[in-house]
Structures are given as structure tokens and as C-alpha cells.
Amino acid sequence: MLKGTKSHPYTEPLDGGWGWMIVFHFFLVNMLLMGLTKTFAIFFVVFQEEFGGTSEQIGWIGSLLSSFRFIAAPLAATFCEKIGEQLTSILGALLICTGYLISSLATSISFLCVSMGLLPGLGSACLYHAAAVMTAKYFKKRLALSTAVARSGMGLTFLLAPLTKILIDEYDWPGITETLMQLLSGWVADQNWIKNYHYYKAYLVLCGITNLLGPLATTFPLLMTYSIFFAIFCGCYLALVLPVMVDFAGNSALNRFLGFAAFFAGVAILSGPPIAGWLHDNTQTYAHSFFFSGTCYLLSSAPLFFVPLATRWAKRRAEQQRTTPTK
């Protein structure tokens, strides 16, 4: 272990001060990394024209890029423990830069799966995990708001790709809406009116319902309505991922729990784009992709409905252990 990796310039969460620079770093991570992921669809047609292949095959590039940010989280957590968050972030940046530089030499889809999918995905895991852990260390009372401010960088992803200008001219409101709703969601959660996981659960359900209704958006006004509402609910739940994790795991175990949670999320994300591409290739409609996405959102919210039951069970078990005499 490198010297000084266990020392930190704080003893308790600062909830301000230098912590806002950490938030700014997390903001940039979200803007840059999520921008790469969210704008991948723009390059989808370009890759198809350049290299050929089906929607399913090209979908694997974006799938690897998106999912390995989560799947590699346990590895990123190990790096954070061994070499510290700063060096882990630097390693992540090097992996991303290397991947995109060699992508200019790509001659096939399989090449791009490694250079534009696997390497940037691994780098994203390192950058994102280190930024999330540091934010949780610097904030406690304002954790939800600080996370929301950081996550709002996703709403500015259009700044990364000049090629998105035409799309932004038509769909600029869902970028703006997502940013504002992440900030509002973080502020509301910090008021402690109800537990954070209740908000999180509700937003997941609303995302699911919105996607299930997506195929009904057959006109431009309806498509705009779908985009705005999905951006609202998506922005709200994304702002609460870290606070809910802290509520359940605590700061002491956050590094490990965040890593494993992201890993299992990545396993699911890995199959998403190829499945959506396969559904379109075989049905010639995107309706089933919306149904698939909506169902996944609803299923992901289901375990949260059992949290009160699990809490009561844990309390009863703890009381039984305290009252049972030891031999």
C-alpha cells in the first residue's frame, strides 16, 4: 500500500468548503463520462455505415461502455483502497484517453468493442467510483444535494459533441429538465420529510410507467412529452443513488457496497442495448424495447417495497440475540 493512502485532510464530513471542489470534480466526471455514453447513439449510424453489421452487433459497443462502468466497480473499489482515490482517478483518465485514441485505428466492430467499449468502460468505473466515494466522505447533512449538483452535470452532456447540435436544437428541453430535477430532487431529499428510499422507489416506478407508455408517442408533441417526463423522473432517481446507498450501507462500508451494487447493475446494463437491438431487428418496431425497459424499471423497484419488512425482521433478530444468554 502506498504511503499516505489512508490519510485524509478531514476527520468529519465538512458539508462545504473544499468539499465543493470534490463536488465540482464529480460534476465534470458526470458531464464527460455520461456525455460519452449518452451521445453514443449519434455514432451508431456512422459505425453501421462504416463497418456494416446489425443493430445488435453495434449495440455491444455502447453496452460494454455503459456496463463496465458498473461491472468494474469492485475492481475500482480495490484500487481506491490500495492506491487511493487520486491515483485511481488518474488511472481511469489514462484508460479512457488510450481507448479513444486507438479507436481512430479501428477497422472492425470487434476492435471498437475493445477500444471504445471495454477500455473507456474500465476507466469510467475508476473515475466515477473514486468521485462518489470522495463525495460521501466530504458530505453528510448535504449529501443528497451535493450528489444532485454533481449528477446535474449529465444535463450538460450536449457540450461534448458538436455533432449533437441538430438533436439539441429539437430536444433541448429534456437535457435542461433533467438538470433542474436532479437539483430539486437532492434538495427535497435533504429535508428529511420521508426516507430517501421512498423517493427513489417512486421515481423508479414512474420511470417504468413512462417507458411502458412510450410507444404511444407517435407524434412530435407526444414524443416531447415522453422525453420531458422521463427526464424528470430519471434525473430525480439518479440524484438519490448515492444517498440511498449511504443510508443502507453507511460510510464505513460504502466503498465495498457501492462496488458490488454497481457490478450487479453493470451485468444488467451489459445486456440492455443488444437486447433492444435484437428486439428491433426481429420486430421492426421499437415498441418492445420500450416495454422491456419499462418492465426492468418496475422490477428494480420491487425489492424496496420489502424494506420495512426486512427492517422489522432485523430488529427482532437483534433483540433475540441480545436476550439469548451465551453459553
Side-chain angles (χ1 to χ4, degrees), residues 20 23-24 26-27 30 144-153 182-183 186 239:
W20 290 115
V23 172
F24 180 63
F26 200 3
F27 175 90
N30 275 291
L145 178 60
S146 62
T147 304
V149 172
R151 296 286 308 207
S152 67
Q182 289 208 33
L183 294 173

Side-chain angles (χ1 to χ4, degrees), residues 73-145:
L75 181 61
T78 301
F79 287 152
C80 286
E81 291 181 352
K82 298 296 184 181
I83 64 176
E85 287 85 5
Q86 287 183 330
L87 290 180
T88 300
S89 295
I90 293 173
L91 175 62
L94 290 175
L95 286 171
I96 293 173
C97 291
T98 301
Y100 277 89
L101 283 174
I102 65 176
S103 291
S104 60
L105 306 175
T107 57
S108 64
I109 295 176
S110 59
F111 189 108
L112 286 172
C113 283
V114 176
S115 64
M116 199 170 179
L118 181 61
L119 290 180
L122 291 173
S124 298
C126 293
L127 273 172
Y128 189 86
H129 189 87
V133 170
M134 288 298 293
T135 301
K137 288 181 177 180
Y138 273 89
F139 287 86
K140 183 177 181 181
K141 295 180 181 178
R142 297 178 179 176
L143 179 60
L145 178 60

